[in-house]
């Protein structure tokens, strides 16, 4: 005879399994939407202008982990979402929300290609400073300076961290979904001989001429094909990125939202 407690546990298991199936199906649909770069590890942008980390990380690992994580009958809430844990050096994000403004065309090229530009990313986990290369990537630096001047990046979360094969923190999507962008796209630059050692700042894309607002910060030497416009070098705060990476992802995997709720409180680009 099945007791009421046994029945309750059985219903809890069945509920979890149904939700796990829905999550797995959602992941399959998301993978079909994403651009996957063969068997190589790559950073790609969705057609809508946003960017995600793709490639080998989108294997069946996540589904296997979901199945293995099925709770025993003694677990009180098998459907509970992952819980963020405090990360040393990270504070609560500043009050405010992304504006998410959209434009129909790339901004006019006003950047001085002979000048030095510095971007300062003031995150809730520490500052990151970047020397921008306007000479080699004028359109990219021009767009970044334009967007930061419009406060487009302010209060935007860095939505994805990868910790295996690709070692990057990806930011720049005001929707936080990995599919957002400023409404315009622009051409690739500075690809000849491009490499991605620690400290590189580069754009994500889904092929030629699809850059938008999303960019990635390389915190450890990463092997990628020369398809992603490098437009800056980190001059301060690499230790901040490494600290964020050391805390891992929210779900414990190698590719996902960072455990640290990394938010760009403000981004400022200055000339000189």
């Amino acid at each position: 005879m099945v007791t009421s407690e046994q029945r309750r546990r059985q219903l809890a298991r069945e509920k979890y399994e149904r939700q796990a199936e829905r999550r797995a199906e959602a992941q399959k649909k998301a993978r079909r939407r994403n651009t996957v770069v063969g068997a190589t590890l790559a950073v790609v942008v969705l057609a809508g202008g946003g960017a995600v980390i793709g490639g080998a990380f989108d294997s069946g690992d996540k589904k296997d982990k979901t199945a293995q994580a099925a709770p025993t009958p003694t677990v009180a809430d098998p459907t509970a979402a992952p819980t963020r844990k405090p990360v040393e050096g990270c504070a609560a994000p500043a009050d405010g929300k992304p504006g998410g403004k959209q434009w129909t065309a790339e901004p006019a090229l006003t950047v001085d290609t002979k000048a030095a530009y510095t971007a300062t990313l003031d995150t809730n986990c520490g500052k990151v400073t970047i020397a921008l290369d306007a000479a080699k990537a004028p359109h990219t630096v021009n767009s970044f300076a334009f967007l930061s001047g419009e406060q487009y990046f302010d209060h935007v979360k860095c939505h994805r961290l990868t910790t295996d094969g690709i070692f990057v923190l990806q930011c720049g999507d005001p929707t936080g979904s990995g599919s957002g962008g400023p409404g315009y796209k622009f051409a690739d630059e500075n690809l000849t001989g491009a490499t991605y050692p620690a400290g590189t700042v580069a754009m994500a894309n889904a092929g030629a001429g699809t850059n938008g607002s999303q960019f990635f910060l390389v915190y450890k030497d990463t092997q990628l094909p020369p398809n992603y416009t490098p437009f800056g070098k980190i001059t301060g705060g690499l230790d901040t990125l490494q600290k964020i990476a050391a805390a891992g992802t929210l779900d414990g995997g190698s590719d996902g939202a960072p455990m640290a709720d990394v938010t760009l409180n403000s981004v400022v680009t200055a000339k000189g």
Side-chain angles (χ1 to χ4, degrees):
M1 179 178 179
V2 178
T3 66
S4 59
E5 178 63 16
Q6 290 173 328
R7 179 58 177 163
R8 184 189 67 78
R9 293 175 178 175
Q10 179 183 355
L11 291 174
R13 286 196 300 272
E14 291 174 350
K15 180 180 178 181
Y16 178 84
E17 290 167 357
R18 288 195 300 271
Q19 293 187 342
E21 289 175 358
R22 286 196 292 269
R23 285 195 296 271
E25 182 61 28
Q27 289 171 352
K28 288 180 181 178
K29 290 180 180 179
R31 285 195 292 272
R32 286 195 292 269
R33 290 195 303 268
N34 293 347
T35 301
V36 180
V37 188
T40 63
L41 299 174
V43 180
V44 300
V45 178
L46 293 180
V52 295
I53 304 301
F57 288 169
D58 286 336
S59 65
D61 293 346
K62 292 183 181 178
K63 288 194 294 183
D64 293 340
K65 290 177 182 177
T66 298
Q68 294 167 4
T72 65
T74 58
V75 175
D77 186 3
T79 63
T83 302
R84 290 192 185 278
K85 298 178 182 178
V87 175
E88 184 179 359
C90 295
D95 291 337
K97 296 181 179 179
K101 188 176 179 179
Q102 298 286 287
W103 293 267
T104 57
E106 176 188 358
L109 188 63
T110 60
V111 72
D112 182 353
T113 58
K114 297 180 180 179
Y117 289 84
T118 299
T120 301
L121 281 54
D122 185 6
T123 85
N124 61 313
C125 295
K127 287 188 178 181
V128 177
T129 55
I130 305 166
L132 303 178
D133 194 342
K136 293 182 178 179
H139 286 267
T140 308
V141 172
N142 187 71
S143 174
F144 192 91
F146 169 78
L147 292 174
S148 59
E150 292 285 336
Q151 290 81 51
Y152 180 85
F153 295 121
D154 293 5
H155 309 295
V156 170
K157 294 184 183 298
C158 293
H159 61 277
R160 204 155 191 182
L161 173 73
T162 60
T163 60
D164 184 11
I166 299 174
F167 304 100
V168 307
L169 178 68
Q170 193 159 334
C171 314
D173 173 11
T175 72
S177 67
S179 61
Y184 64 82
K185 299 177 182 179
F186 58 93
D188 301 315
E189 300 176 295
N190 195 28
L191 297 184
T192 302
T195 58
Y196 306 89
T200 301
V201 182
M203 296 298 295
N205 67 63
T210 59
N211 299 291
S213 61
Q214 292 195 46
F215 59 95
F216 58 93
L217 308 163
V218 183
Y219 64 86
K220 181 179 178 181
D221 292 354
T222 293
Q223 297 296 318
L224 286 169
N227 297 334
Y228 312 99
T229 299
F231 67 99
K233 294 289 185 182
I234 295 170
T235 56
L238 185 59
D239 57 336
T240 294
L241 298 176
Q242 292 168 341
K243 172 185 61 182
I244 291 167
T249 63
L250 182 59
D251 66 5
S254 61
D255 175 7
M259 175 62 73
D261 190 19
V262 189
T263 302
L264 304 174
N265 289 333
S266 67
V267 176
V268 176
T269 300
K271 179 181 178 181

